[in-house]
Amino acid sequence: MQDEPTPTELIKAVADFLRTEITPQIKGHNAFKLRVGINALDLVTRQLTLAEESDAAEAGRLKQLLGADGSLVELNRALSEKIAKGEVDLQTPGLAEHLWQTTMDKLAVDQPNYGSYRRELGKK
Amino acid sequence: MIEDQLGRCVASWYRGATGVTGAAKLSGGASQETWTFDIVHPDGNIGAILRRAPPGYGASPGRAAGLDAEATLMQLAYDAGLPSPRVMHVLTPADELGTGFIMQRIEGETIARKILRDEQFAAARPILARQLGRVIAGIHSLPAEKLPKLREMSATKEIADLEREYRSFGWPRPVFELALRWLRARDPGPSKEVTLVHGDFRHGNLIIGPDGVRAVLDWELAHFGDPMEDLGWICVNSWRFGEIDKPVGGFGAREDLFAGYEETGRKVDADRVMFWEVMGTLRWGIMCCGMMQRFRKGPDHSMERAMIGRRSSETEIDLLRLLAPRVG
């Protein structure tokens, strides 16, 4: 049991400080790099908040699709091999839905402002 | 110090030049650099660009055409009336600047977000797709007998290359597997016509002014292959920067691109273009993963590279939109 505040709270505090206090003082290429750095911190915050639940759901879907158990990487490797061999494809019940849900969950962490993601969110 | 070397170099072929000023590095890693500078001349300074591999970095890696080939291609494009900087000088050993060339500097914008949003490009945006179609057709029509030696690429070979690179990462990605499978099943086979292909015709490599396209840059990935590849690559969603309903670079329609291309008498094969759009989307996704690999293995331990690794999921959603669109 670790002490508080949590990693999420700490990272968010650092990102907010860089965004509001430091950004106005930085010019040129370093301003660009600072923005990239803040984006990275925001991404990590989203991952810490969202990944546990989406990883568990992904693992559940994979186990059902494959009828096998294992770590997320092992399950993804097994699915990848089946797709490569043509043993499963877009006609396989559940595959398209699984890939869509997994990808949507990734974008929610990686790039929630990405145009195609926003469009697909609106569709659902 | 590069100004002294450049000054001596320029004086040897530019009549009346007395030196150079304002040299600044624009971009580049260890093996390839781009510099901007002004040639000092009594009649007024002349803007120039140096593109070079510094001394000790002669050979170009992997797929690169090589700087000599790039210089030849840009000069051919210029001679054919295509938007291209004039090549002023190809470096010689006596210049002691490495290998590469010096070209005329062309003013304009390469940053996609500005081209897609700024008021000064408002008049250019609606005409760009058609214009670029004409330019791509011009590239595909450059005189074969004058072209330098370049690698030849086919769809089959490109799929195999992408697959090898993807597998080398050892990180399973079911959506990429699906795309590889899709591409193999629809491999159109050798192109009836093999032409020069620019290979990286997209935002960042195009100088745009309020009047439209002014220059095509970065011929590093030029090769011989299926001309439809260039048309597919510029339609990849990764270059639309949020304007996802305008497939051509976020500013235009495929119909306009194709119409510009066909104005010259050349023909578009829309199915092949779509095939190359899928290939290009996967290619960019694998390139993003490659950036992450280089970040992890060093020596470039930069945040930018690390974060580009996280953009591969953008190509996964784009691949799903292309291969398994959701209805409704």
Side-chain angles (χ1 to χ4, degrees):
Chain A
M1 183 78 185
Q2 302 293 316
D3 286 332
E4 306 212 0
T6 64
T8 319
E9 288 169 319
L10 281 170
I11 294 168
K12 195 170 179 312
V14 175
D16 286 343
F17 165 70
L18 293 174
R19 196 168 8 241
T20 52
E21 307 290 326
I22 301 299
T23 299
Q25 303 177 34
I26 307 289
K27 295 268 172 294
H29 191 62
N30 275 335
F32 166 73
K33 291 182 80 160
L34 179 62
R35 203 160 58 239
V36 175
I38 294 170
N39 287 343
L41 294 177
D42 288 346
L43 187 156
V44 174
T45 309
R46 289 192 298 271
Q47 183 157 342
L48 287 169
T49 314
L50 300 171
E52 195 178 337
E53 198 176 316
S54 62
D55 281 1
E58 182 186 357
R61 289 192 303 270
L62 283 165
K63 283 172 196 168
Q64 185 149 27
L65 268 170
L66 297 163
D69 206 350
S71 70
L72 255 187
V73 171
E74 287 162 356
L75 290 166
N76 270 302
R77 186 157 289 135
L79 179 62
S80 296
E81 278 166 16
K82 279 190 184 293
I83 294 172
K85 287 185 192 146
E87 291 170 11
V88 297
D89 59 23
L90 288 170
Q91 269 65 57
T92 306
L95 183 75
E97 291 80 355
H98 165 70
L99 294 178
W100 264 109
Q101 189 57 53
T102 307
T103 303
M104 292 299 280
D105 288 345
K106 272 201 216 188
L107 267 299
V109 170
D110 288 347
Q111 232 63 251
N113 286 322
Y114 191 59
S116 326
Y117 172 69
R118 290 166 63 111
R119 177 67 54 86
E120 293 294 335
L121 261 192
K123 257 188 196 171
K124 268 198 93 177
Chain B
M1 354 137 289
I2 196 165
E3 285 196 356
D4 298 338
Q5 281 168 317
L6 273 172
R8 279 195 297 278
C9 165
V10 165
S12 74
W13 50 265
Y14 202 107
R15 185 183 290 270
T18 58
V20 311
T21 183
K25 198 168 163 180
L26 290 179
S27 71
S31 63
Q32 204 165 100
E33 296 175 351
T34 306
W35 292 78
T36 178
F37 62 97
D38 282 345
I39 298 170
V40 182
H41 194 278
D43 297 339
N45 291 1
I46 299 110
I49 296 283
L50 165 70
R51 191 158 157 81
R52 71 157 185 174
Y57 288 95
S60 49
R63 297 155 70 101
L67 287 162
D68 287 349
E70 280 192 57
T72 306
L73 291 170
M74 291 182 105
Q75 189 58 47
L76 284 175
Y78 179 84
D79 292 343
L82 296 171
S84 176
R86 190 167 58 82
V87 175
M88 301 165 98
H89 176 70
V90 176
L91 296 181
T92 68
D95 294 321
E96 294 180 352
L97 280 161
T99 55
F101 57 96
I102 292 168
M103 59 185 149
Q104 166 197 15
R105 186 172 69 226
I106 292 184
E107 301 304 328
E109 188 55 74
T110 59
I111 299 170
R113 287 176 195 283
K114 294 190 181 172
I115 294 162
L116 295 186
R117 282 173 206 168
D118 286 6
E119 184 51 40
Q120 57 165 318
F121 303 107
R125 285 190 285 268
I127 60 166
L128 266 176
R130 199 176 183 113
Q131 228 181 32
L132 293 181
R134 280 197 297 269
V135 172
I136 296 173
I139 291 171
H140 297 166
S141 308
L142 286 177
E145 66 280 5
K146 291 189 178 167
L147 294 171
K149 206 169 134 31
L150 298 165
R151 78 196 148 92
E152 188 164 335
M153 245 359 227
S154 65
T156 313
K157 222 161 143 187
E158 178 79 359
I159 299 167
D161 277 7
L162 287 181
E163 178 159 9
R164 194 176 330 108
E165 200 179 351
Y166 157 70
R167 301 238 177 269
S168 77
F169 302 144
W171 187 257
R173 286 179 169 274
V175 176
F176 284 6
E177 297 285 353
L178 200 68
L180 282 167
R181 190 91 198 161
W182 188 95
L183 288 165
R184 271 202 201 295
R186 286 161 187 79
D187 181 349
S191 173
K192 266 195 283 228
E193 186 197 16
V194 170
T195 67
L196 173 68
V197 175
H198 179 277
D200 202 7
F201 196 94
R202 60 166 171 97
H203 280 299
N205 295 333
L206 301 169
I207 297 182
I208 309 291
D211 48 339
V213 62
R214 290 178 176 177
V216 180
L217 304 175
D218 208 339
W219 295 72
E220 198 173 341
L221 296 175
H223 58 272
F224 294 114
D226 182 348
M228 296 302 105
E229 180 186 340
D230 277 332
L231 295 172
W233 184 239
I234 199 173
C235 291
V236 167
N237 189 54
S238 308
W239 327 133
R240 295 183 206 167
F241 297 88
E243 298 287 338
I244 64 173
D245 298 318
K246 293 177 185 153
V248 185
F251 47 71
R254 285 191 187 82
E255 293 71 26
D256 291 335
L257 178 76
F258 293 176
Y261 191 81
E262 295 198 328
E263 263 175 40
T264 65
R266 298 192 54 87
K267 275 271 156 274
V268 170
D269 180 334
D271 288 340
R272 269 187 190 254
V273 175
M274 162 71 174
F275 172 86
W276 283 107
E277 182 180 333
V278 174
M279 180 95 87
T281 308
L282 177 66
R283 180 170 145 205
W284 174 240
I286 290 174
M287 284 166 77
C288 291
C289 296
M291 298 270 194
M292 200 285 288
Q293 286 298 93
R294 282 202 285 287
F295 158 77
R296 190 165 273 172
K297 292 187 173 156
D300 181 359
H301 198 73
S302 71
M303 288 183 297
E304 293 97 310
R305 266 192 207 278
M307 285 296 279
I308 282 183
R310 279 299 184 104
R311 306 198 73 161
S312 42
S313 54
E314 296 176 352
T315 64
E316 289 176 329
I317 195 169
D318 290 335
L319 285 168
L320 286 177
R321 279 168 61 84
L322 287 163
L323 309 184
R326 298 197 292 186
V327 278

